CSV table of all heavy atoms in Angstrom, one decimal:
chain,number,residue,atom,x,y,z
X,1,MET,N,5.9,-5.7,-7.2
X,1,MET,CA,6.9,-4.8,-6.4
X,1,MET,C,6.4,-3.5,-6.5
X,1,MET,O,6.0,-3.0,-7.6
X,1,MET,CB,8.3,-5.0,-7.1
X,1,MET,CG,9.3,-4.1,-6.3
X,1,MET,SD,10.9,-4.6,-7.0
X,1,MET,CE,10.9,-4.0,-8.6
X,2,PHE,N,6.5,-2.7,-5.4
X,2,PHE,CA,6.2,-1.3,-5.5
X,2,PHE,C,6.9,-0.6,-4.2
X,2,PHE,O,7.3,-1.3,-3.4
X,2,PHE,CB,4.7,-1.1,-5.2
X,2,PHE,CG,4.1,-1.7,-4.0
X,2,PHE,CD1,3.9,-1.0,-2.9
X,2,PHE,CD2,3.6,-3.0,-4.0
X,2,PHE,CE1,3.3,-1.5,-1.7
X,2,PHE,CE2,3.2,-3.7,-3.0
X,2,PHE,CZ,2.9,-2.9,-1.7
X,3,ALA,N,7.1,0.8,-4.4
X,3,ALA,CA,7.6,1.5,-3.3
X,3,ALA,C,6.7,1.9,-2.2
X,3,ALA,O,5.5,2.3,-2.6
X,3,ALA,CB,8.4,2.7,-3.8
X,4,HIS,N,6.9,1.8,-0.9
X,4,HIS,CA,6.0,2.2,0.1
X,4,HIS,C,6.9,2.9,1.1
X,4,HIS,O,7.9,2.5,1.6
X,4,HIS,CB,5.3,1.0,0.7
X,4,HIS,CG,4.5,1.3,1.7
X,4,HIS,ND1,3.2,1.9,1.6
X,4,HIS,CD2,4.5,1.1,3.1
X,4,HIS,CE1,2.7,2.1,2.8
X,4,HIS,NE2,3.5,1.6,3.7
X,5,HIS,N,6.2,4.0,1.6
X,5,HIS,CA,6.7,4.7,2.8
X,5,HIS,C,6.2,4.2,4.1
X,5,HIS,O,5.0,4.4,4.2
X,5,HIS,CB,6.6,6.3,2.7
X,5,HIS,CG,7.4,7.0,3.7
X,5,HIS,ND1,8.6,7.3,3.5
X,5,HIS,CD2,7.0,7.4,5.0
X,5,HIS,CE1,9.2,8.0,4.7
X,5,HIS,NE2,8.1,8.0,5.5
X,6,CYS,N,7.0,3.6,4.9
X,6,CYS,CA,6.4,2.9,6.2
X,6,CYS,C,6.1,4.0,7.3
X,6,CYS,O,6.9,4.9,7.5
X,6,CYS,CB,7.4,1.9,6.7
X,6,CYS,SG,7.0,1.2,8.3
X,7,SER,N,5.0,3.8,7.9
X,7,SER,CA,4.5,4.8,9.0
X,7,SER,C,5.2,4.6,10.1
X,7,SER,O,5.2,5.3,11.1
X,7,SER,CB,3.0,4.7,9.0
X,7,SER,OG,2.6,3.6,9.6
X,8,VAL,N,5.8,3.4,10.4
X,8,VAL,CA,6.6,3.1,11.7
X,8,VAL,C,8.1,3.5,11.5
X,8,VAL,O,8.5,4.1,12.5
X,8,VAL,CB,6.3,1.5,12.0
X,8,VAL,CG1,7.1,1.2,13.2
X,8,VAL,CG2,4.9,1.3,12.1
X,9,CYS,N,8.8,2.8,10.6
X,9,CYS,CA,10.3,3.2,10.6
X,9,CYS,C,10.6,4.4,9.8
X,9,CYS,O,11.7,4.8,9.6
X,9,CYS,CB,11.0,2.0,10.0
X,9,CYS,SG,10.6,1.6,8.2
X,10,ASP,N,9.6,5.1,9.1
X,10,ASP,CA,9.7,6.3,8.4
X,10,ASP,C,10.7,6.2,7.3
X,10,ASP,O,11.5,7.1,7.0
X,10,ASP,CB,10.2,7.5,9.3
X,10,ASP,CG,9.8,8.9,8.8
X,10,ASP,OD1,9.0,9.0,7.8
X,10,ASP,OD2,10.6,9.8,9.2
X,11,GLU,N,10.8,5.0,6.6
X,11,GLU,CA,11.6,4.8,5.5
X,11,GLU,C,10.9,4.3,4.2
X,11,GLU,O,9.7,3.8,4.4
X,11,GLU,CB,12.7,3.6,5.8
X,11,GLU,CG,13.8,4.0,7.0
X,11,GLU,CD,14.7,5.0,6.5
X,11,GLU,OE1,15.1,5.2,5.3
X,11,GLU,OE2,15.4,5.5,7.4
X,12,THR,N,11.4,4.6,3.0
X,12,THR,CA,10.6,4.1,1.8
X,12,THR,C,11.5,2.9,1.4
X,12,THR,O,12.7,2.9,1.1
X,12,THR,CB,10.7,5.2,0.8
X,12,THR,OG1,10.0,6.4,1.3
X,12,THR,CG2,10.0,4.6,-0.5
X,13,TYR,N,10.8,1.8,1.3
X,13,TYR,CA,11.3,0.5,0.7
X,13,TYR,C,10.6,0.0,-0.4
X,13,TYR,O,9.4,0.2,-0.6
X,13,TYR,CB,11.4,-0.5,1.9
X,13,TYR,CG,12.2,-0.3,3.0
X,13,TYR,CD1,11.8,0.0,4.3
X,13,TYR,CD2,13.7,-0.4,2.9
X,13,TYR,CE1,12.5,0.2,5.3
X,13,TYR,CE2,14.4,-0.2,3.9
X,13,TYR,CZ,13.9,0.1,5.2
X,13,TYR,OH,14.8,0.3,6.3
X,14,LEU,N,11.2,-0.9,-1.1
X,14,LEU,CA,10.6,-1.6,-2.1
X,14,LEU,C,9.9,-2.9,-1.5
X,14,LEU,O,10.6,-3.5,-0.7
X,14,LEU,CB,11.5,-2.1,-3.4
X,14,LEU,CG,11.9,-1.2,-4.2
X,14,LEU,CD1,13.0,-1.7,-5.2
X,14,LEU,CD2,10.9,-0.5,-4.9
X,15,ILE,N,8.6,-3.1,-1.8
X,15,ILE,CA,7.9,-4.2,-1.2
X,15,ILE,C,7.6,-5.2,-2.3
X,15,ILE,O,7.2,-4.9,-3.4
X,15,ILE,CB,6.5,-3.6,-0.6
X,15,ILE,CG1,6.7,-2.4,0.4
X,15,ILE,CG2,5.8,-4.8,-0.1
X,15,ILE,CD1,7.5,-2.9,1.6
X,16,PHE,N,8.0,-6.4,-2.0
X,16,PHE,CA,8.0,-7.5,-3.0
X,16,PHE,C,6.7,-8.4,-2.7
X,16,PHE,O,6.1,-8.4,-1.6
X,16,PHE,CB,9.2,-8.3,-2.9
X,16,PHE,CG,10.4,-7.7,-3.3
X,16,PHE,CD1,11.2,-6.9,-2.4
X,16,PHE,CD2,10.8,-7.8,-4.7
X,16,PHE,CE1,12.2,-6.3,-2.8
X,16,PHE,CE2,12.0,-7.0,-5.1
X,16,PHE,CZ,12.7,-6.2,-4.2
X,17,ASP,N,6.3,-9.1,-3.8
X,17,ASP,CA,5.0,-9.8,-3.7
X,17,ASP,C,5.1,-10.9,-2.6
X,17,ASP,O,4.0,-10.9,-1.9
X,17,ASP,CB,4.8,-10.7,-4.9
X,17,ASP,CG,4.6,-9.8,-6.2
X,17,ASP,OD1,4.3,-8.6,-6.0
X,17,ASP,OD2,4.6,-10.4,-7.3
X,18,SER,N,6.3,-11.3,-2.2
X,18,SER,CA,6.4,-12.3,-1.2
X,18,SER,C,6.2,-11.8,0.3
X,18,SER,O,6.0,-12.4,1.2
X,18,SER,CB,7.8,-12.8,-1.1
X,18,SER,OG,8.9,-11.9,-0.9
X,19,GLN,N,6.1,-10.4,0.4
X,19,GLN,CA,5.8,-9.7,1.5
X,19,GLN,C,4.2,-9.5,1.8
X,19,GLN,O,3.9,-9.1,3.0
X,19,GLN,CB,6.6,-8.3,1.7
X,19,GLN,CG,8.0,-8.5,1.8
X,19,GLN,CD,8.7,-7.2,1.6
X,19,GLN,OE1,9.2,-6.8,0.5
X,19,GLN,NE2,8.9,-6.4,2.7
X,20,LEU,N,3.5,-9.8,0.8
X,20,LEU,CA,2.0,-9.5,0.9
X,20,LEU,C,1.5,-10.6,1.8
X,20,LEU,O,1.8,-11.6,1.8
X,20,LEU,CB,1.3,-9.5,-0.4
X,20,LEU,CG,1.8,-8.5,-1.5
X,20,LEU,CD1,1.1,-8.7,-2.8
X,20,LEU,CD2,1.5,-7.1,-0.8
X,21,THR,N,0.6,-10.1,2.8
X,21,THR,CA,-0.2,-11.0,3.6
X,21,THR,C,-1.5,-11.0,3.2
X,21,THR,O,-2.3,-12.2,3.6
X,21,THR,CB,-0.1,-10.5,5.1
X,21,THR,OG1,-0.5,-9.3,5.2
X,21,THR,CG2,1.4,-10.7,5.5
X,22,SER,N,-2.2,-10.1,2.4
X,22,SER,CA,-3.6,-10.2,2.0
X,22,SER,C,-3.7,-9.1,0.9
X,22,SER,O,-3.0,-8.1,0.9
X,22,SER,CB,-4.6,-10.0,3.1
X,22,SER,OG,-4.7,-8.7,3.4
X,23,LEU,N,-4.8,-9.4,0.0
X,23,LEU,CA,-5.0,-8.6,-1.2
X,23,LEU,C,-6.6,-8.7,-1.2
X,23,LEU,O,-7.1,-9.7,-1.4
X,23,LEU,CB,-4.4,-9.1,-2.3
X,23,LEU,CG,-4.3,-8.3,-3.7
X,23,LEU,CD1,-3.1,-8.7,-4.4
X,23,LEU,CD2,-5.6,-8.6,-4.4
X,24,ASP,N,-7.3,-7.5,-1.1
X,24,ASP,CA,-8.7,-7.6,-1.2
X,24,ASP,C,-9.3,-6.5,-2.0
X,24,ASP,O,-8.7,-5.2,-2.0
X,24,ASP,CB,-9.3,-7.4,0.2
X,24,ASP,CG,-9.1,-8.6,1.3
X,24,ASP,OD1,-9.2,-9.7,0.8
X,24,ASP,OD2,-8.5,-8.3,2.2
X,25,ASN,N,-10.3,-6.8,-2.9
X,25,ASN,CA,-10.9,-5.7,-3.7
X,25,ASN,C,-11.9,-5.0,-2.7
X,25,ASN,O,-12.7,-5.7,-2.1
X,25,ASN,CB,-11.6,-6.3,-4.9
X,25,ASN,CG,-10.7,-6.6,-6.0
X,25,ASN,OD1,-9.8,-5.8,-6.3
X,25,ASN,ND2,-10.8,-7.8,-6.6
X,26,THR,N,-11.7,-3.7,-2.7
X,26,THR,CA,-12.8,-3.0,-1.8
X,26,THR,C,-13.4,-1.8,-2.6
X,26,THR,O,-13.0,-1.6,-3.9
X,26,THR,CB,-12.0,-2.2,-0.7
X,26,THR,OG1,-11.3,-1.2,-1.0
X,26,THR,CG2,-11.1,-3.2,0.1
X,27,ALA,N,-14.3,-1.2,-2.2
X,27,ALA,CA,-14.9,-0.1,-3.0
X,27,ALA,C,-14.0,1.1,-3.3
X,27,ALA,O,-14.3,1.9,-4.2
X,27,ALA,CB,-16.2,0.5,-2.2
X,28,HIS,N,-12.8,1.1,-2.4
X,28,HIS,CA,-12.0,2.1,-2.7
X,28,HIS,C,-10.8,1.8,-3.5
X,28,HIS,O,-9.9,2.6,-3.8
X,28,HIS,CB,-11.4,2.6,-1.3
X,28,HIS,CG,-12.4,3.0,-0.3
X,28,HIS,ND1,-13.2,4.2,-0.5
X,28,HIS,CD2,-12.8,2.5,0.8
X,28,HIS,CE1,-14.1,4.3,0.5
X,28,HIS,NE2,-13.8,3.2,1.3
X,29,GLY,N,-10.6,0.5,-3.9
X,29,GLY,CA,-9.6,-0.1,-4.8
X,29,GLY,C,-9.1,-1.2,-4.1
X,29,GLY,O,-9.7,-1.9,-3.4
X,30,ILE,N,-7.9,-1.7,-4.6
X,30,ILE,CA,-7.2,-3.0,-4.1
X,30,ILE,C,-6.5,-2.7,-2.9
X,30,ILE,O,-5.5,-1.8,-2.9
X,30,ILE,CB,-6.4,-3.5,-5.2
X,30,ILE,CG1,-7.1,-3.8,-6.5
X,30,ILE,CG2,-5.8,-4.9,-4.7
X,30,ILE,CD1,-6.3,-4.1,-7.7
X,31,GLU,N,-6.9,-3.3,-1.8
X,31,GLU,CA,-6.3,-3.1,-0.3
X,31,GLU,C,-5.2,-4.1,-0.2
X,31,GLU,O,-5.6,-5.4,-0.1
X,31,GLU,CB,-7.4,-3.2,0.7
X,31,GLU,CG,-6.7,-2.9,2.0
X,31,GLU,CD,-7.7,-3.0,3.1
X,31,GLU,OE1,-8.4,-2.1,3.3
X,31,GLU,OE2,-7.7,-4.1,3.7
X,32,LEU,N,-3.9,-3.6,-0.2
X,32,LEU,CA,-2.7,-4.6,0.0
X,32,LEU,C,-2.3,-4.6,1.5
X,32,LEU,O,-2.1,-3.4,1.9
X,32,LEU,CB,-1.7,-4.2,-1.0
X,32,LEU,CG,-2.0,-4.1,-2.5
X,32,LEU,CD1,-0.8,-3.4,-3.1
X,32,LEU,CD2,-2.2,-5.4,-3.0
X,33,ARG,N,-2.3,-5.7,2.1
X,33,ARG,CA,-1.6,-5.7,3.5
X,33,ARG,C,-0.2,-6.4,3.4
X,33,ARG,O,-0.2,-7.5,2.6
X,33,ARG,CB,-2.4,-6.4,4.5
X,33,ARG,CG,-3.8,-5.5,4.7
X,33,ARG,CD,-4.5,-6.3,5.8
X,33,ARG,NE,-5.9,-5.7,6.0
X,33,ARG,CZ,-6.1,-4.7,6.8
X,33,ARG,NH1,-5.2,-4.4,7.6
X,33,ARG,NH2,-7.2,-4.1,7.0
X,34,PHE,N,0.7,-6.0,3.9
X,34,PHE,CA,2.0,-6.6,3.9
X,34,PHE,C,2.9,-6.1,5.1
X,34,PHE,O,2.4,-5.3,5.9
X,34,PHE,CB,2.8,-6.0,2.6
X,34,PHE,CG,2.8,-4.5,2.5
X,34,PHE,CD1,3.9,-3.9,3.0
X,34,PHE,CD2,1.8,-3.9,1.9
X,34,PHE,CE1,3.9,-2.5,2.9
X,34,PHE,CE2,1.9,-2.4,1.8
X,34,PHE,CZ,2.9,-1.7,2.3
X,35,ALA,N,4.0,-6.9,5.1
X,35,ALA,CA,5.0,-6.6,6.3
X,35,ALA,C,6.1,-5.7,5.7
X,35,ALA,O,6.6,-6.1,4.7
X,35,ALA,CB,5.5,-7.9,6.9
X,36,CYS,N,6.3,-4.7,6.3
X,36,CYS,CA,7.6,-3.8,6.0
X,36,CYS,C,8.8,-4.6,6.2
X,36,CYS,O,8.7,-5.5,7.1
X,36,CYS,CB,7.5,-2.5,6.7
X,36,CYS,SG,8.9,-1.5,6.5
X,37,TRP,N,9.9,-4.2,5.8
X,37,TRP,CA,11.2,-4.8,6.2
X,37,TRP,C,11.5,-4.6,7.6
X,37,TRP,O,12.2,-5.4,8.3
X,37,TRP,CB,12.3,-4.1,5.3
X,37,TRP,CG,12.2,-4.5,3.8
X,37,TRP,CD1,11.6,-3.8,2.8
X,37,TRP,CD2,12.6,-5.8,3.2
X,37,TRP,NE1,11.6,-4.4,1.7
X,37,TRP,CE2,12.3,-5.6,1.9
X,37,TRP,CE3,13.3,-6.8,3.8
X,37,TRP,CZ2,12.6,-6.6,1.0
X,37,TRP,CZ3,13.6,-7.7,2.9
X,37,TRP,CH2,13.3,-7.9,1.5
X,38,CYS,N,10.9,-3.7,8.3
X,38,CYS,CA,11.1,-3.4,9.8
X,38,CYS,C,10.3,-4.4,10.5
X,38,CYS,O,10.3,-4.5,11.7
X,38,CYS,CB,10.8,-2.0,10.2
X,38,CYS,SG,9.0,-1.5,10.2
X,39,GLY,N,9.3,-5.1,9.8
X,39,GLY,CA,8.4,-6.1,10.5
X,39,GLY,C,6.9,-5.4,10.8
X,39,GLY,O,6.1,-6.2,11.3
X,40,ALA,N,6.8,-4.2,10.6
X,40,ALA,CA,5.5,-3.6,11.0
X,40,ALA,C,4.3,-3.9,9.8
X,40,ALA,O,4.8,-4.1,8.7
X,40,ALA,CB,5.6,-2.0,10.9
X,41,GLU,N,3.2,-4.1,10.3
X,41,GLU,CA,2.1,-4.4,9.4
X,41,GLU,C,1.7,-3.1,8.7
X,41,GLU,O,1.4,-2.2,9.4
X,41,GLU,CB,0.9,-5.0,10.2
X,41,GLU,CG,-0.3,-5.4,9.3
X,41,GLU,CD,-0.2,-6.6,8.5
X,41,GLU,OE1,0.7,-7.5,8.8
X,41,GLU,OE2,-0.9,-6.8,7.6
X,42,GLN,N,1.6,-3.1,7.4
X,42,GLN,CA,1.2,-1.9,6.6
X,42,GLN,C,0.2,-2.2,5.7
X,42,GLN,O,-0.1,-3.3,5.3
X,42,GLN,CB,2.5,-1.3,5.8
X,42,GLN,CG,3.7,-0.9,6.7
X,42,GLN,CD,3.3,0.5,7.4
X,42,GLN,OE1,3.4,1.4,6.7
X,42,GLN,NE2,3.1,0.4,8.7
X,43,THR,N,-0.6,-1.1,5.2
X,43,THR,CA,-1.7,-1.3,4.3
X,43,THR,C,-1.7,-0.2,3.3
X,43,THR,O,-1.3,1.0,3.6
X,43,THR,CB,-3.0,-1.1,5.0
X,43,THR,OG1,-3.1,-2.1,6.1
X,43,THR,CG2,-4.2,-1.3,4.0
X,44,THR,N,-1.8,-0.4,2.1
X,44,THR,CA,-1.9,0.6,1.2
X,44,THR,C,-3.1,0.3,0.1
X,44,THR,O,-3.5,-0.9,0.0
X,44,THR,CB,-0.6,0.7,0.4
X,44,THR,OG1,-0.7,1.9,-0.5
X,44,THR,CG2,-0.3,-0.5,-0.5
X,45,ILE,N,-3.6,1.2,-0.6
X,45,ILE,CA,-4.6,1.0,-1.6
X,45,ILE,C,-4.0,1.3,-3.0
X,45,ILE,O,-3.3,2.2,-3.2
X,45,ILE,CB,-5.8,2.0,-1.4
X,45,ILE,CG1,-6.5,2.0,0.0
X,45,ILE,CG2,-6.9,1.8,-2.6
X,45,ILE,CD1,-7.2,0.8,0.1
X,46,SER,N,-4.3,0.2,-3.8
X,46,SER,CA,-3.8,0.3,-5.2
X,46,SER,C,-4.9,0.2,-6.2
X,46,SER,O,-6.1,0.0,-5.9
X,46,SER,CB,-2.7,-0.9,-5.3
X,46,SER,OG,-2.1,-0.7,-6.6
X,47,GLY,N,-4.5,0.3,-7.5
X,47,GLY,CA,-5.5,0.1,-8.6
X,47,GLY,C,-6.1,1.3,-9.1
X,47,GLY,O,-5.7,2.4,-8.6
X,48,ARG,N,-6.9,1.3,-10.1
X,48,ARG,CA,-7.4,2.5,-10.7
X,48,ARG,C,-8.1,3.4,-9.8
X,48,ARG,O,-8.2,4.6,-9.9
X,48,ARG,CB,-8.2,2.1,-12.0
X,48,ARG,CG,-7.4,1.6,-13.1
X,48,ARG,CD,-8.2,1.5,-14.3
X,48,ARG,NE,-9.3,0.5,-14.1
X,48,ARG,CZ,-10.4,0.5,-14.8
X,48,ARG,NH1,-10.7,1.2,-15.8
X,48,ARG,NH2,-11.3,-0.5,-14.5
X,49,LEU,N,-9.0,2.8,-9.0
X,49,LEU,CA,-9.9,3.5,-8.0
X,49,LEU,C,-9.1,4.2,-7.0
X,49,LEU,O,-9.5,5.3,-6.6
X,49,LEU,CB,-10.9,2.6,-7.4
X,49,LEU,CG,-11.9,2.0,-8.2
X,49,LEU,CD1,-12.8,1.0,-7.4
X,49,LEU,CD2,-12.7,3.0,-8.8
X,50,ALA,N,-7.9,3.8,-6.7
X,50,ALA,CA,-7.1,4.6,-5.7
X,50,ALA,C,-6.5,5.8,-6.3
X,50,ALA,O,-6.7,6.8,-5.6
X,50,ALA,CB,-5.8,3.8,-5.6
X,51,GLY,N,-6.3,6.0,-7.6
X,51,GLY,CA,-5.8,7.2,-8.3
X,51,GLY,C,-7.1,8.1,-8.2
X,51,GLY,O,-7.0,9.3,-8.0
X,52,ARG,N,-8.3,7.6,-8.6
X,52,ARG,CA,-9.4,8.4,-8.6
X,52,ARG,C,-9.8,9.0,-7.3
X,52,ARG,O,-10.1,10.2,-7.3
X,52,ARG,CB,-10.7,7.6,-9.1
X,52,ARG,CG,-11.9,8.3,-9.3
X,52,ARG,CD,-13.0,7.5,-9.9
X,52,ARG,NE,-12.5,6.9,-11.2
X,52,ARG,CZ,-13.2,5.7,-11.7
X,52,ARG,NH1,-14.1,5.2,-11.1
X,52,ARG,NH2,-12.7,5.3,-12.8
X,53,ARG,N,-9.6,8.2,-6.1
X,53,ARG,CA,-9.8,8.8,-4.8
X,53,ARG,C,-8.9,10.0,-4.6
X,53,ARG,O,-9.4,11.0,-4.0
X,53,ARG,CB,-9.6,7.7,-3.9
X,53,ARG,CG,-10.1,8.1,-2.5
X,53,ARG,CD,-10.0,7.0,-1.5
X,53,ARG,NE,-8.4,6.9,-1.2
X,53,ARG,CZ,-7.8,6.2,-0.3
X,53,ARG,NH1,-8.5,5.7,0.7
X,53,ARG,NH2,-6.5,6.2,-0.1
X,54,THR,N,-7.7,9.9,-5.0
X,54,THR,CA,-6.7,11.0,-4.8
X,54,THR,C,-7.1,12.3,-5.5
X,54,THR,O,-7.2,13.4,-4.9
X,54,THR,CB,-5.4,10.6,-5.4
X,54,THR,OG1,-4.9,9.5,-4.5
X,54,THR,CG2,-4.5,11.6,-5.1
X,55,VAL,N,-7.7,11.9,-6.8
X,55,VAL,CA,-8.1,13.2,-7.4
X,55,VAL,C,-9.3,13.8,-6.9
X,55,VAL,O,-9.4,15.1,-6.7
X,55,VAL,CB,-8.5,12.7,-9.0
X,55,VAL,CG1,-9.3,14.0,-9.7
X,55,VAL,CG2,-7.3,12.4,-9.7
X,56,ASP,N,-10.3,12.9,-6.3
X,56,ASP,CA,-11.5,13.5,-5.6
X,56,ASP,C,-11.0,14.2,-4.4
X,56,ASP,O,-11.6,15.3,-4.1
X,56,ASP,CB,-12.3,12.3,-5.2
X,56,ASP,CG,-13.0,11.7,-6.5
X,56,ASP,OD1,-13.1,12.3,-7.4
X,56,ASP,OD2,-13.5,10.6,-6.3
X,57,ALA,N,-10.0,13.7,-3.6
X,57,ALA,CA,-9.6,14.5,-2.5
X,57,ALA,C,-8.9,15.7,-2.8
X,57,ALA,O,-9.1,16.6,-2.0
X,57,ALA,CB,-8.4,13.6,-1.8
X,58,VAL,N,-8.1,16.0,-3.9
X,58,VAL,CA,-7.5,17.1,-4.3
X,58,VAL,C,-8.7,18.2,-4.7
X,58,VAL,O,-8.6,19.3,-4.2
X,58,VAL,CB,-6.5,17.0,-5.5
X,58,VAL,CG1,-6.1,18.3,-6.1
X,58,VAL,CG2,-5.4,16.2,-4.9
X,59,ALA,N,-9.8,17.6,-5.3
X,59,ALA,CA,-10.8,18.6,-5.8
X,59,ALA,C,-11.8,19.0,-4.5
X,59,ALA,O,-12.3,20.1,-4.7
X,59,ALA,CB,-11.7,17.8,-6.7
X,60,ALA,N,-11.7,18.2,-3.5
X,60,ALA,CA,-12.6,18.6,-2.4
X,60,ALA,C,-12.1,19.8,-1.5
X,60,ALA,O,-11.0,20.2,-1.7
X,60,ALA,CB,-12.7,17.3,-1.5
Z,1,ZN,ZN1,8.9,-0.1,8.3
């Protein structure tokens, strides 16, 4: 379970495991695809590499 701000309905909701449609390891971290409570398909990056990418983005 994690909190996500939806780019379609502009609301922050808790997303549960049952809403996940795919989970893939990528070079940028763990890519999670899921359906928001409004029905919109959303994607987020999770895992240790996701935090590292954010630090790199701030430093750049
Ligand atoms: Zn939504």
Side-chain angles (χ1 to χ4, degrees):
M1 177 175 66
F2 58 95
H4 177 74
H5 188 87
C6 178
S7 61
V8 175
C9 66
D10 199 28
E11 296 285 344
T12 299
Y13 289 113
L14 287 176
I15 304 299
F16 293 88
D17 295 350
S18 61
Q19 292 171 268
L20 295 178
T21 55
S22 73
L23 187 156
D24 294 306
N25 279 315
T26 71
H28 305 293
I30 303 167
E31 183 181 276
L32 303 171
R33 291 182 186 271
F34 53 91
C36 175
W37 289 97
C38 72
E41 179 80 16
Q42 296 284 290
T43 302
T44 191
I45 301 290
S46 184
R48 287 186 301 160
L49 292 177
R52 185 175 302 160
R53 188 180 69 163
T54 300
V55 170
D56 290 346
V58 170

